[in-house]
């Protein structure tokens, strides 16, 4: 990789075991400190398009983490049958104002019938295995519990795809693996930060919490990775996600109060 990207001396390399889905390393070089990512679960052509967009956004003056290009001006380098991209390691940057968002964004709402059908699809697949493994055995009761929750709360889902309240730029994947924790808390600080800049009504925040819970309840992307794509990088997220979905419904009042 050092030769492919013409990085010079590389005195330090550390594998980042905390990452999911892709393999990542922190490397210190003569040209700076970078994050090296091995492409595992994303089609190369799709990632190439995304990296090219990031380079264009950086060229336009937007504060994005653009890829470090190879001497041939390529954002991806292929060695054998594996592809890699190199990005500057970002410790943190001050907020930069962005332009207006435009019209109100839509948030897809999965219908109970569709969510139940997807659960049944996975249950049917598991039932066909002659020797289900530990993941299959844990997934089967979790899916039955998920179906029970969907049926019990079928009339509690969002009635449309238009979230309440104001809208604007925010983190597109705000979840526990993408935030820094301090003394076991982060959500209250997140909401407080937004409220210091924008008026967010309690009813709007409640609507957001309910929409997120419904999305988590009816979303099976980890199982789609596992069974449909045979990509097991997100397996650990399935068990924890199922537990949190069940637990958050039992503690809905506390979640809304926070």
């Amino acid at each position: 990789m050092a030769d492919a990207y013409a990085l010079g001396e590389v005195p330090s390399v550390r594998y980042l075991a905390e990452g999911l889905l892709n393999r990542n390393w922190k490397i210190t070089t003569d040209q700076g400190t970078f994050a090296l990512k091995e492409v595992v679960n994303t089609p190369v052509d799709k990632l190439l398009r995304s990296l090219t967009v990031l380079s264009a956004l950086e060229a336009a003056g937007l504060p994005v983490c653009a890829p470090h290009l190879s001497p041939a001006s390529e954002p991806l380098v292929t060695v054998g049958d594996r592809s890699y991209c190199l990005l500057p390691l970002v410790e943190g940057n001050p907020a930069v104002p962005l332009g207006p968002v435009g019209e109100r964004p839509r948030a897809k709402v999965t219908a109970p019938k569709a969510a139940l059908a997807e659960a049944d699809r996975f249950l049917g697949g598991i039932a066909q295995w002659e020797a289900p493994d530990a993941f299959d055995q844990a997934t089967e009761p979790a899916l039955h519990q998920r179906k029970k929750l969907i049926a019990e709360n079928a009339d509690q889902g969002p009635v449309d795809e238009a979230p309440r309240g104001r809208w604007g730029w925010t983190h597109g994947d705000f979840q526990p693996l993408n935030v820094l924790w301090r003394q076991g808390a982060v959500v209250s600080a997140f909401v407080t930060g937004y409220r210091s800049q924008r008026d967010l009504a309690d009813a709007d925040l409640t609507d957001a919490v309910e929409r997120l819970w419904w999305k988590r309840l009816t979303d099976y992307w980890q199982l789609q990775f596992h069974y449909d794509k045979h990509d097991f990088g997100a397996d650990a997220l399935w068990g924890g996600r199922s537990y949190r979905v069940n637990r958050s419904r039992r503690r809905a009042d506390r979640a809304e109060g926070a």
Side-chain angles (χ1 to χ4, degrees), residues 191-234:
V191 173
T192 300
Y194 269 79
R195 278 186 150 174
S196 70
Q197 301 297 318
R198 295 289 187 271
D199 180 26
L200 298 176
D202 290 345
D204 298 340
L205 291 174
T206 299
D207 176 69
V209 170
E210 290 293 335
R211 285 178 182 277
L212 178 60
W213 180 80
W214 185 258
K215 177 177 174 58
R216 296 289 184 259
L217 178 65
T218 58
D219 186 12
Y220 306 95
W221 73 267
Q222 301 95 336
L223 298 187
Q224 291 163 355
F225 268 60
H226 182 96
Y227 292 113
D228 297 341
K229 299 182 178 182
H230 305 291
D231 183 334
F232 311 124

Side-chain angles (χ1 to χ4, degrees), residues 29-168:
T29 76
D30 288 348
Q31 297 189 35
T33 302
F34 298 91
L36 176 68
K37 180 185 296 290
E38 179 186 352
V39 183
V40 175
N41 78 324
T42 303
V44 170
D45 58 341
K46 182 178 180 180
L47 180 59
L48 180 60
R49 180 190 63 191
S50 298
L51 293 173
T52 301
V53 169
L54 286 175
S55 295
L57 292 175
E58 183 186 52
L62 290 175
V64 298
C65 188
H68 183 83
L69 303 182
S70 72
S73 299
E74 296 290 340
L76 279 176
V77 166
T78 300
V79 178
D81 60 350
R82 299 182 178 182
S83 296
Y84 302 83
C85 62
L86 191 68
L87 302 107
L89 190 71
V90 178
E91 301 292 348
N93 288 313
V96 177
L98 297 173
V101 175
E103 66 180 21
R104 180 184 295 273
R106 314 294 290 184
K108 181 181 178 181
V109 177
T110 302
K113 183 178 180 179
L116 292 171
E118 185 73 343
D120 284 335
R121 180 172 76 87
F122 291 119
L123 286 170
I126 293 172
Q128 294 178 8
W129 298 121
E130 293 184 0
D133 60 20
F135 184 85
D136 301 325
Q137 294 173 13
T139 295
E140 184 176 11
L143 281 171
H144 283 297
Q145 176 64 22
R146 187 72 67 88
K147 287 183 61 179
K148 181 175 181 290
L149 279 173
I150 292 172
E152 291 175 348
N153 296 276
D155 60 344
Q156 300 298 312
V159 297
D160 56 37
E161 297 185 351
R164 296 183 52 164
R166 305 180 64 171
W167 66 93

